[in-house]
Amino acid sequence: MTAATFTLRRGRTPLLVSLPHVGTHVPPAIASRLVDRARAVEDTDWHLEAIYAPIADELGASLIVPVHSRYVVDLNRPPENAPMYPGANNTELVPTRFFSGDALYRDGCAPDDADVAARLNAYWRPYHDALAAELARLKAEHGVALLWDGHSIKSTLPWLFDGTLPDLNLGTAGGTSCAPTLREALAGVLRGQHAYTHVVDGRFKGGWITRHYGRPGDGVHAVQMEMCWSTYMDEQPPYRIDPARAGRLRPVLRELLRTMLAWRPGD
């Protein structure tokens, strides 16, 4: 299924992989208002479709990816634009800053409320309508729906967090977005590997997608994986994927997704 704002490939298992920050397109009318630096869309979750698509195909998972950059609208933020992490620096539903804290827009060109509302309707709602419909389809067909929300980020971003992130950051909204046994099964995979540092519900506990759609009492179980770019790519421009590092990472991700698929609500 292809729309102007996203692509959805429907699978045969209860698993849906969402990659809400892989888009890179910025419409010209918006790009003309951004500072020159923003046109390189540096805060993209680079190469995640290339990382996840082969695993999703192998496992029969659905895969949804957006066309547009998070600079247009952030698909992992709530529609009312509440901060995800109160008390910390945050980027908004329609971001006005880079992850470095610098301004995205030229002076006098920042989006107003009308801009935010227009982008919400044009870009945010179609993605979420499709995501919600696919989860409903999976639950109706399989009795349960499993959502894996995939993200990646530079390992050091002082404006957003202190120090260096663990390589793999699993988020379950503090244990509320999925069943405890699923959380423990995934945490067990992370503990069982020794190639990457990891944390469960650390700095990144899951954004709006994980928190909103994860309803274990209703048979929808959601988790977020935030990975450091350093696990599979160069962290400086031109942000090239490193085939060797990506090749080491994929088996760990495959095992996590296999574990999610093998899990059952009665476990």
Side-chain angles (χ1 to χ4, degrees):
M1 176 181 176
T2 301
T5 57
F6 66 89
T7 297
L8 171 63
R9 288 154 49 184
R10 293 193 172 101
R12 63 182 186 277
T13 67
L15 178 62
L16 169 61
V17 176
S18 166
L19 305 175
H21 293 151
V22 302
T24 57
H25 180 60
V26 180
I30 296 174
S32 66
R33 299 162 61 183
L34 299 173
V35 299
D36 290 342
R37 172 184 160 194
R39 302 186 188 193
V41 292
E42 64 189 62
D43 297 319
T44 300
D45 290 9
W46 296 106
H47 309 299
L48 282 195
E49 186 172 5
I51 293 289
Y52 276 107
I55 303 172
D57 288 346
E58 175 188 336
L59 298 181
S62 299
L63 179 70
I64 185 169
V65 296
V67 170
H68 295 84
S69 168
R70 70 187 306 155
Y71 292 170
V72 176
V73 71
D74 192 331
L75 299 170
N76 201 28
R77 294 294 182 270
E80 68 275 10
N81 201 20
M84 280 284 88
Y85 298 99
N89 287 330
N90 287 263
T91 52
E92 310 98 320
L93 174 66
V94 173
T96 59
R97 294 184 181 276
F98 294 92
F99 283 173
S100 63
D102 300 308
L104 272 171
Y105 286 85
R106 300 177 185 277
D107 288 345
C109 292
D112 58 19
D113 290 346
D115 290 324
V116 172
R119 295 191 208 180
L120 183 76
N121 287 324
Y123 307 107
W124 190 98
R125 293 197 188 283
Y127 188 87
H128 283 278
D129 287 348
L131 195 160
E134 182 64 5
L135 288 174
R137 181 187 77 83
L138 295 177
K139 185 185 173 187
E141 185 171 329
H142 301 282
V144 65
L146 307 170
L147 174 60
W148 180 276
D149 203 45
H151 298 263
S152 67
I153 196 168
K154 192 174 183 181
S155 58
T156 56
L157 285 167
W159 188 69
L160 290 179
F161 50 83
D162 295 330
T164 301
L165 280 177
D167 297 324
L168 304 177
N169 301 262
L170 182 70
T172 69
T176 64
S177 67
C178 69
T181 52
L182 176 55
R183 183 179 188 266
E184 178 55 29
L186 295 173
V189 174
L190 293 175
R191 290 194 300 268
Q193 60 78 40
H194 304 288
Y196 303 103
T197 58
H198 66 275
V199 69
V200 178
D201 289 316
R203 169 63 177 84
F204 291 95
K205 295 177 173 61
W208 191 79
I209 288 174
T210 306
R211 302 179 197 189
H212 177 73
Y213 291 103
R215 296 287 183 269
D218 295 330
V220 181
H221 303 263
V223 301
Q224 175 179 296
M225 174 57 73
E226 184 82 65
M227 306 185 303
C228 287
W229 287 351
S230 57
T231 60
Y232 68 92
M233 61 173 273
D234 297 333
E235 293 201 313
Q236 302 300 325
Y239 305 120
R240 293 190 182 95
I241 194 169
D242 182 323
R245 279 186 274 174
R248 289 191 295 271
L249 175 65
R250 281 196 187 97
V252 178
L253 295 178
R254 185 181 295 111
E255 184 60 24
L256 285 162
L257 292 175
R258 279 179 174 165
T259 297
M260 196 169 188
L261 270 173
W263 173 84
R264 291 295 178 267
D267 291 352

